[in-house]
């Protein structure tokens, strides 16, 4: 339904742009010129241009029964931006701004392991391997299990957290015992810590902690 709405919106823009031409008479070259126009006039990025071309391709194929070759070569190059990375001082401020053992457990876990949000929610108590000082990440990105680091400080915090909360299956559980905490609830908990630390305006999130973990690991 979302794709249909997007296609309809883009088709209306195309029809408005070529308002003196019958849709069935709009040529391949005209659409390519239109893509160049929105790229130059509105700084349209690759995904936007691709969606416009696919919307027109769908219209040609399903409505006017006319061939159309999606022009991949004129899309803008995909841009890559470096993620935010916290300074060591900001990380210390972030960790010291936790007001509960649960907040501290989450904060230390994200920063010291590089775990992803969904992986954190799915983390089970049995995945904490204190014997080998590692954490098992089950079915992470790419559907592959892997291990990540478990620091002494994080293990100490997790033990204190467990002694207080005694969750049944998952490390962080929601309102229903035995069920994992919702991703949005974890996000909200971390946003609260960033706010308490005075760092909310910088747009930091769980991805920031992951990238900061990787960067500081390389630095050290």
């Amino acid at each position: 339904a979302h794709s249909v709405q997007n296609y309809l919106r883009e088709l209306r823009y195309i029809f408005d742009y070529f308002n003196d031409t019958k849709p069935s008479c709009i040529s391949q070259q005209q659409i390519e010129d239109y893509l160049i126009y929105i790229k130059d006039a509105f700084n349209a990025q690759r995904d936007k241009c691709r969606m416009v071309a696919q919307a027109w391709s769908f219209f040609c194929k399903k409505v006017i029964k006319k061939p159309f070759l999606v022009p991949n070569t004129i899309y803008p190059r995909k841009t890559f931006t470096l993620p935010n990375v916290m300074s060591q001082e900001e990380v210390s401020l972030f960790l010291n701004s936790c007001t509960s053992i649960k907040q501290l457990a989450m904060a230390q876990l994200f920063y010291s392991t590089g775990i992803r949000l969904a992986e954190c929610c799915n983390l089970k108590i049995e995945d904490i391997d204190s014997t080998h000082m590692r954490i098992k990440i089950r079915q992470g990105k790419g559907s592959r299990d892997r291990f990540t680091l478990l620091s002494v400080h994080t293990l100490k915090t997790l033990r204190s957290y467990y002694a207080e909360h005694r969750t049944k299956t998952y490390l962080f559980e929601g309102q229903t015992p035995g069920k994992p905490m919702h991703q949005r609830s974890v996000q909200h908990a971390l946003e609260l810590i960033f706010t308490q630390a005075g760092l909310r305006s910088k747009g930091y999130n769980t991805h920031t902690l992951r990238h900061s973990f990787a960067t500081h690991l390389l630095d050290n």
Side-chain angles (χ1 to χ4, degrees), residues 117 121 181-191 200:
L117 178 60
C121 294
M181 193 171 176
H182 195 275
Q183 290 187 31
R184 186 67 194 99
S185 298
V186 175
Q187 282 179 318
H188 178 72
L190 291 170
E191 286 169 0
R200 187 67 187 278

Side-chain angles (χ1 to χ4, degrees), residues 119-141:
E119 294 168 348
C120 176
C121 294
N122 292 326
L123 202 60
K124 294 183 177 180
I125 296 164
E126 64 190 43
D127 296 331
I128 310 300
D129 184 357
S130 58
T131 302
H132 300 97
M133 295 304 290
R134 64 186 185 179
I135 298 175
K136 185 175 184 178
I137 308 297
R138 298 175 181 272
Q139 297 297 300
K141 193 170 184 180

Side-chain angles (χ1 to χ4, degrees), residues 70-117:
V70 177
N72 294 314
T73 56
I74 65 173
Y75 296 160
R77 287 183 178 274
K78 195 171 182 66
T79 56
F80 295 92
T81 56
L82 291 174
N84 286 335
V85 174
M86 300 167 70
S87 66
Q88 296 277 7
E89 292 75 19
E90 286 177 328
V91 171
S92 296
L93 179 61
F94 173 74
L95 295 175
N96 290 330
S97 297
C98 297
T99 56
S100 70
I101 189 64
K102 187 173 185 178
Q103 281 189 353
L104 184 60
M106 286 183 181
Q108 286 190 356
L109 193 65
F110 271 101
Y111 174 66
S112 69
T113 67
I115 199 169
R116 296 181 175 90
L117 178 60

Side-chain angles (χ1 to χ4, degrees), residues 13 142 210:
Y13 289 150
R210 176 174 167 77

Side-chain angles (χ1 to χ4, degrees), residues 185-211:
S185 298
V186 175
Q187 282 179 318
H188 178 72
L190 291 170
E191 286 169 0
L192 186 60
I193 304 172
F194 281 121
T195 299
Q196 290 162 182
L199 299 171
R200 187 67 187 278
S201 62
K202 296 201 172 186
Y204 292 158
N205 52 30
T206 55
H207 289 297
T208 308
L209 293 169
R210 176 174 167 77
H211 293 306

